Amino acid sequence: MNLTKLIPQKINFNKSIDNHQVLLNKNILNKSILVIGGAGTIGSSYIKQILKYNPSKITVVDINENGLTELTRDLRSSNLLDYNPEYITYPVNLLSDTFDKIFNSESWQVVANFSAHKHVRSEKDKISVEALIKNNVYGAIKLLNLCELNSPKYFFSVSTDKAANPVNIMGASKSLMEKLILSKKKNFRVSTARFANVAFSNGSLLDGFIYRLQKKQPLSCPEDIKRFFVTPEQSGQICLLATFLGETGNIFFPKLDFHKDQIYFKEIALEFLKESGFEPELVQSEKEAKEFDFDKNPTKYPIYFFKTDTSGEKTYEEFFTEDEDYEINIYDSLGFINTSEVEISFKEVEADFESVFSNSNSNKSDIVKVINKYVPDFMHIETGKHLDQKM
């Protein structure tokens, strides 16, 4: 699939990387690297960028055992591991005691965290939201506590553009994660990055298009939602740069234009079908889409566009708010937010959430109230509908 045709490249990170070769070599060559959530699209792309600078050891942790297997096959089938570093993968949950043993087995120069619930569809009810909070918030707390005792030279954890003016619990959980990270900015070097949708990343809507075609199932997508997009390779480049550039506490973002560089899912879907050799056949309902006769219409493909009506969705994204102290003139392809140190009690955060999780009479709205305590600008959009109710 020609990503550059489907997702026009608005930005190039190669110049920024070329400009900082000395810094990257100094901090990666012969160093020990720990990557959590490394089997996903962004984590694996980050690993491929890191390996270009020959770390002596790279340890990858992810709960997805199959994903780790494919990552290893991919790396072994390329030349990235040919210099024979110490390389090992562990299918382990960040929140488990086993992870502590992995972390404490080494003094890491770089710790990079990509473990996250990243989908808005993860916030269906109280139980699904609890799982999301435990991964995105408790996971950050645990990792930061471990780093406090065994500090890496560089700590990076990926965020999301949905953390800016959040309207969904996933984005708000990442905004809270940013605050947790910033509370440690004077204790050890920390950074994070908000960035665009990664085109055709694992589990994304665009990735789902490929599966629908393979299974001869109709496509569907919102007609009124636009997003920033980067390629998988670019996602790794952004995170590589964000790990090492700037000062402790910086929140990085790609220099994409709010008005010019967001693309509607609808536009990509239509181009995707054309690139796949089909004429899009617009239908008016999910029922009509599923009843489409592929045998009688071999050159056409059904696609259903709908208006967004699910919880936690806004029609656009943004990387920063006007209230934040952002800088866009220092680097070629990245901007960043200057941040203050945040005072926040990890124990209080966990206790507040646990009081809701353990209460059988509580619901999703009670969790939203706890989040609002720490993320006051969180304006949750609740419609009573969620994405799992759609194709």
Side-chain angles (χ1 to χ4, degrees), residues 29-44:
L29 178 65
N30 296 327
K31 301 299 192 296
S32 295
I33 315 288
L34 174 63
V35 181
I36 304 103
T41 301
I42 305 172
S44 60

Side-chain angles (χ1 to χ4, degrees), residues 10 14 18-19 48 72 92 97 112 131 165 181 221-222 229 239 251 258 263 267 270 274 278 314 344:
K10 307 287 188 178
N14 292 322
D18 290 342
N19 288 342
K48 291 173 183 177
T72 301
V92 170
D97 293 339
N165 283 326
I181 291 171
C221 80
F229 287 93
C239 295
I251 300 173
F258 176 84
I263 309 172
E267 296 174 13
L270 293 173
K274 293 174 185 176
F278 293 102
K314 60 183 177 182
I344 189 169

Side-chain angles (χ1 to χ4, degrees), residues 13-31:
F13 299 97
N14 292 322
K15 184 177 179 181
S16 289
I17 290 175
D18 290 342
N19 288 342
H20 295 93
Q21 287 296 305
V22 173
L23 176 69
L24 294 171
N25 272 304
K26 176 184 176 182
N27 290 293
I28 303 174
L29 178 65
N30 296 327
K31 301 299 192 296

Side-chain angles (χ1 to χ4, degrees), residues 25-261:
N25 272 304
K26 176 184 176 182
N27 290 293
I28 303 174
L29 178 65
N30 296 327
K31 301 299 192 296
S32 295
I33 315 288
L34 174 63
V35 181
I36 304 103
T41 301
I42 305 172
S44 60
S45 297
Y46 179 82
I47 289 166
K48 291 173 183 177
Q49 294 296 324
I50 284 278
L51 285 171
K52 294 177 182 179
Y53 299 91
N54 292 18
S56 60
K57 179 176 182 178
I58 187 157
T59 299
V60 188
V61 178
D62 200 294
I63 59 172
N64 185 346
E65 186 178 17
N66 291 339
L68 287 174
T69 299
E70 175 53 31
L71 169 67
T72 301
R73 288 171 176 160
D74 187 13
L75 295 177
R76 293 292 182 196
S77 300
S78 73
N79 61 2
L80 288 169
L81 291 173
D82 286 357
Y83 73 98
N84 201 30
E86 186 177 350
Y87 167 82
I88 190 167
T89 65
Y90 292 108
V92 170
N93 191 321
L94 166 61
L95 294 171
S96 70
D97 293 339
T98 306
F99 177 80
D100 296 23
K101 298 176 182 178
I102 298 169
F103 190 94
N104 293 325
S105 68
E106 178 78 47
S107 291
W108 307 99
Q109 277 74 51
V110 179
V111 173
N113 178 36
F114 300 90
S115 174
H117 277 58
K118 66 174 186 176
H119 291 291
V120 177
R121 69 171 62 244
S122 296
E123 52 185 79
K124 294 175 277 287
D125 56 16
K126 176 186 171 183
I127 294 174
S128 61
V129 173
E130 178 177 340
L132 183 156
I133 294 295
K134 286 186 173 178
N135 193 4
N136 292 0
V137 177
Y138 286 30
I141 287 174
K142 177 176 181 179
L143 200 48
L144 291 165
N145 281 335
L146 287 169
C147 286
E148 190 86 79
L149 299 173
N150 184 11
S151 298
K153 186 174 181 182
Y154 292 94
F155 173 85
F156 172 81
S157 188
V158 72
S159 186
T160 172
D161 50 10
K162 292 178 174 61
N165 283 326
V167 299
N168 51 67
I169 296 173
M170 190 280 286
S173 74
K174 284 291 195 174
S175 179
L176 175 52
M177 180 208 74
E178 291 178 355
K179 295 177 188 293
L180 295 167
I181 291 171
L182 294 178
S183 75
K184 299 298 182 184
K185 66 179 287 187
K186 290 186 178 179
N187 300 49
F188 49 92
R189 208 272 191 186
V190 300
S191 63
T192 185
R194 299 174 184 170
F195 63 93
N197 285 32
V198 181
F200 297 93
S201 60
N202 295 340
S204 67
L205 177 62
L206 303 187
D207 183 47
F209 288 171
I210 297 173
Y211 287 105
R212 301 289 73 73
L213 256 66
Q214 289 174 348
K215 299 179 180 183
K216 278 195 172 181
Q217 294 174 338
L219 268 57
S220 69
C221 80
E223 64 181 5
D224 52 352
I225 286 185
K226 59 182 179 179
R227 294 289 186 260
F228 295 107
F229 287 93
V230 294
T231 65
E233 180 184 22
Q234 288 175 329
S235 74
Q237 292 175 322
I238 292 169
C239 295
L240 175 76
L241 291 166
T243 300
F244 299 103
L245 296 188
E247 305 294 333
T248 184
N250 285 164
I251 300 173
F252 288 88
F253 56 86
K255 284 168 64 172
L256 291 166
D257 186 272
F258 176 84
H259 298 287
K260 298 178 181 177
D261 293 338

Side-chain angles (χ1 to χ4, degrees), residues 290-339:
K290 288 185 279 192
E291 291 176 349
F292 183 84
D293 193 326
F294 286 93
D295 293 330
K296 290 184 178 179
N297 301 278
T299 63
K300 295 185 177 182
Y301 211 95
I303 183 165
Y304 171 54
F305 294 124
F306 56 85
K307 290 190 180 297
T308 300
D309 61 356
T310 51
S311 298
E313 289 283 16
K314 60 183 177 182
T315 55
Y316 60 89
E317 292 296 355
E318 52 202 328
F319 293 120
F320 52 85
T321 69
E322 291 302 318
D323 293 332
E324 291 177 309
D325 178 19
Y326 60 90
E327 173 59 65
I328 59 172
N329 296 316
I330 302 297
Y331 303 115
D332 294 301
S333 54
L334 289 176
F336 62 89
I337 299 166
N338 290 304
T339 62

